[in-house]
Amino acid sequence: MKTRSRVALGLWFACTFAATLAAAAPPGAKKAVPEKGGLPRYGMAVYSDLCVQPGGEFGGQRITLQRFAEVDTVIYEYTAGGLSWPVVASDVNIDPRGKLMYFTVQPPEEAERTLSGKFSADGNTLTLDGGYCGDEALPMTLQKVRDFAQKPKACRACPVGKKAPTDEPAAPKWEAVPPSQG
């Protein structure tokens, strides 16, 4: 009998609590709708295309993005023969929907540059604008890192691209021989 009364008391308490919560909700209140796609507003994500060159050195770049209530921060790493020291970005801007981003970096002994890109709908890919394999028309795609213990993959060869037109006329395939004297 004691068990039955405890169950009844528990059910009464649960129903009363639920009714109190429902009454406390303001009229016309909507449920919180999760954001559709893009990057979550808070948290940390690492995007990378780091790979190993045939000579054993790293290639590619890595972007570590930290999102806090007050500010977003980016730590940028790239390769220039070997993996560089991390560069903390300035002027980090992410649109409110979490779909577009740009930030400014100034690597040591280099000019300041701004990198921009967009996140995939699911937030698993960051596509940076231009510059892959020295071709500004090819975007760089960085995947979200999920397994930090995974060994880096082998770098893929750059695609054969079109040569940029130059302002100088093409050199002739032969050289004129000066007339001989004599």
Side-chain angles (χ1 to χ4, degrees):
M1 200 66 157
K2 289 182 181 180
T3 306
R4 220 182 240 179
S5 64
R6 284 184 186 169
V7 170
L9 182 61
L11 285 173
W12 175 83
F13 180 73
C15 290
T16 305
F17 184 68
T20 305
L21 286 178
K30 295 181 181 179
K31 292 182 181 178
V33 179
E35 294 181 25
K36 295 181 181 179
L39 191 65
R41 177 59 195 110
Y42 301 102
M44 180 174 166
V46 177
Y47 293 90
S48 175
D49 68 350
L50 288 180
C51 56
V52 177
Q53 300 282 358
E57 291 190 3
F58 276 97
Q61 55 196 337
R62 176 171 43 206
I63 294 174
T64 303
L65 174 62
Q66 300 169 348
R67 302 202 74 193
F68 301 107
E70 301 83 23
V71 69
D72 296 321
T73 63
V74 168
I75 299 171
Y76 178 67
E77 297 170 276
Y78 64 100
T79 57
L83 192 59
S84 70
W85 286 99
V87 178
V88 177
S90 62
D91 195 26
V92 177
N93 290 289
I94 301 173
D95 80 312
R97 299 173 301 143
K99 298 195 185 271
L100 303 171
M101 172 176 78
Y102 72 86
F103 59 92
T104 303
V105 293
Q106 184 166 8
E109 302 176 15
E110 289 186 30
E112 185 178 78
R113 63 180 185 231
T114 299
L115 293 127
S116 63
K118 44 189 153 176
F119 296 98
S120 62
D122 58 6
N124 290 329
T125 304
L126 171 61
T127 304
L128 294 176
D129 299 331
Y132 181 70
C133 289
D135 184 354
E136 293 299 319
L138 293 174
M140 296 171 276
T141 303
L142 286 68
Q143 298 296 321
K144 188 173 189 178
V145 177
R146 298 199 180 281
D147 180 6
F148 290 94
Q150 179 181 2
K151 291 186 178 185
K153 299 174 183 170
C155 293
R156 57 188 171 133
C158 289
V160 177
K162 298 176 185 175
K163 291 185 179 179
T166 60
D167 293 339
E168 298 175 14
K173 293 182 182 178
W174 51 272
E175 289 186 31
V177 179
S180 59
Q181 294 177 348

